[in-house]
């Protein structure tokens, strides 16, 4: 059984991020989600995925095979690949709606098409704070996993490798951990300037965009925050 410290989810680096990220959004932006959920989660103290999806290292949905990698290093890549293409199983649309609620908020005006959202994703880096999959729903996120030193070590490396200007952090748990480890005393302030992974970055905290979260994500408030930190809203919806 793998321990959490062996799991590193590779970030999803948009194909235009390095060359045109600042042109498109005004600043290079990294999205840090709270955690990935997996129906094969089986251990309350770590990732616990026994050989990645019952030893197959892959998942077949509607004729498409998604490769997670030997140690599930491609887990986040698979999540975003499925989101971009709309490949979904029955009773599974909630997490895709969560993604759309968040990414639609980068657009000024009408709700974007899938092509418009995919173009946005081409200019972002997307990753997760917790390195290791947690239970298969948001109510059971493991506190011990959230507080692991390994998460912050991996985040620092992702920032060092990709050098974003703005890091947008989903949810209260990951925000508290990042603040604690960067010496931020006032966790109530949603915008912070810090040094992370050897880079000077602007941290921006947003409520988790999932509909079940008590303190819900607000599109207009998020757009005001984006403007404050110098991120431009996308004007075209397709």
């Amino acid at each position: 059984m793998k321990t959490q410290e062996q799991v590193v989810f590779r970030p999803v680096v948009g194909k235009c991020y390095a060359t045109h990220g600042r042109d498109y959004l005004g600043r290079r932006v990294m999205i840090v989600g709270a955690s990935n959920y997996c129906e094969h989660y089986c251990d309350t103290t770590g990732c616990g995925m026994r050989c990645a999806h019952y030893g197959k290292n892959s998942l077949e949905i509607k004729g498409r095979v998604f490769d997670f990698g030997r140690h599930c290093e491609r887990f986040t890549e698979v999540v975003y690949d499925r989101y971009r293409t709309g490949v979904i199983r029955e009773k599974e649309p909630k997490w895709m709606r969560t993604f759309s609620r968040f990414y639609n908020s980068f657009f000024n005006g009408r709700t974007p098409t899938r092509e418009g959202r995919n173009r946005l994703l081409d200019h972002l880096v997307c990753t997760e704070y917790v390195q290791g999959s947690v239970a298969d729903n948001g109510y059971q996120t493991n506190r011990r996993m959230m507080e692991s030193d390994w998460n912050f070590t991996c985040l620092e490396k992702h920032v060092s490798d990709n050098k974003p200007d703005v890091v947008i952090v989903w949810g209260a748990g990951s925000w508290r951990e990042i603040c604690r480890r960067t010496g931020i005393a006032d966790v109530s302030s949603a915008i912070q300037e810090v040094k992370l992974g050897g880079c000077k970055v602007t941290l921006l905290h947003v409520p988790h965009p999932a509909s079940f979260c008590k303190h819900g994500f607000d599109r207009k408030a998020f757009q005001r925050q984006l403007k404050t930190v110098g991120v431009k809203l996308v004007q075209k919806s397709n």
Side-chain angles (χ1 to χ4, degrees), residues 22-23 33 49 57 75-76 105 125 130 157 160 171 196 206:
R22 290 193 182 104
D23 296 334
M49 290 179 292
N57 298 333
F75 200 108
T76 302
S105 298
V125 174
V130 174
K157 185 177 188 307
S160 177
L196 185 63
V206 298

Side-chain angles (χ1 to χ4, degrees), residues 66-86:
F66 297 91
D67 176 26
F68 289 88
R70 184 174 180 181
H71 297 292
C72 276
E73 66 273 9
R74 296 195 67 251
F75 200 108
T76 302
E77 293 176 356
V78 169
V79 168
Y80 275 88
D81 189 11
R82 291 181 60 203
Y83 177 65
R84 292 176 68 113
T85 57

Side-chain angles (χ1 to χ4, degrees), residues 25 28-34 102-103 106 124-129 155 159 164-171 174-175 178 190 201-207 209 217 222 225-226 229 231:
L25 290 169
R28 282 184 178 173
V29 178
M30 173 182 282
I31 311 300
V32 180
F102 176 73
Y103 289 112
F106 278 84
L124 299 172
V125 174
C126 303
T127 187
E128 307 293 328
Y129 184 68
L155 177 63
V159 170
D165 303 310
V166 176
V167 177
I168 300 176
V169 181
W170 286 18
S174 48
W175 178 251
I178 293 170
V201 301
T202 301
L203 295 180
L204 171 58
H205 172 236
V206 298
F217 176 81
F222 177 58
Q225 289 178 317
L226 289 178
V229 300
V231 176

Side-chain angles (χ1 to χ4, degrees), residues 8-163:
V8 181
F9 293 141
R10 288 199 312 232
V12 180
V13 182
K15 63 182 181 181
C16 302
Y17 169 80
T19 55
H20 299 294
R22 290 193 182 104
D23 296 334
Y24 190 74
L25 290 169
R27 303 189 78 184
R28 282 184 178 173
V29 178
M30 173 182 282
I31 311 300
V32 180
S35 55
N36 280 319
Y37 306 141
C38 177
E39 64 267 34
H40 302 315
Y41 176 91
C42 60
D43 179 13
T44 60
T45 61
C47 185
M49 290 179 292
R50 292 171 292 185
C51 210
H53 297 266
Y54 298 117
K56 297 179 181 179
N57 298 333
S58 63
L59 179 68
E60 183 174 348
I61 305 175
K62 296 182 178 181
R64 282 200 58 184
V65 177
F66 297 91
D67 176 26
F68 289 88
R70 184 174 180 181
H71 297 292
C72 276
E73 66 273 9
R74 296 195 67 251
F75 200 108
T76 302
E77 293 176 356
V78 169
V79 168
Y80 275 88
D81 189 11
R82 291 181 60 203
Y83 177 65
R84 292 176 68 113
T85 57
V87 177
I88 192 169
R89 293 173 293 186
E90 188 178 356
K91 300 181 180 179
E92 201 189 34
K94 287 185 177 180
W95 69 267
M96 288 203 177
R97 289 200 295 266
T98 296
F99 275 36
S100 292
R101 182 179 296 112
F102 176 73
Y103 289 112
N104 287 353
S105 298
F106 278 84
F107 291 81
N108 186 28
R110 293 180 297 175
T111 301
T113 61
R114 177 180 294 168
E115 290 75 13
R117 281 193 299 267
N118 287 349
R119 188 173 298 111
L120 168 66
L121 292 171
D122 286 340
H123 294 82
L124 299 172
V125 174
C126 303
T127 187
E128 307 293 328
Y129 184 68
V130 174
Q131 298 298 301
S133 189
V134 299
D136 64 356
N137 67 73
Y139 295 104
Q140 299 180 36
T141 300
N142 189 288
R143 182 173 179 179
R144 180 172 176 178
M145 290 183 71
M146 180 65 75
E147 295 176 350
S148 169
D149 295 340
W150 184 242
N151 300 323
F152 190 74
T153 297
C154 293
L155 177 63
E156 284 193 303
K157 185 177 188 307
H158 295 335
V159 170
S160 177
D161 288 346
N162 295 286
K163 297 177 173 51

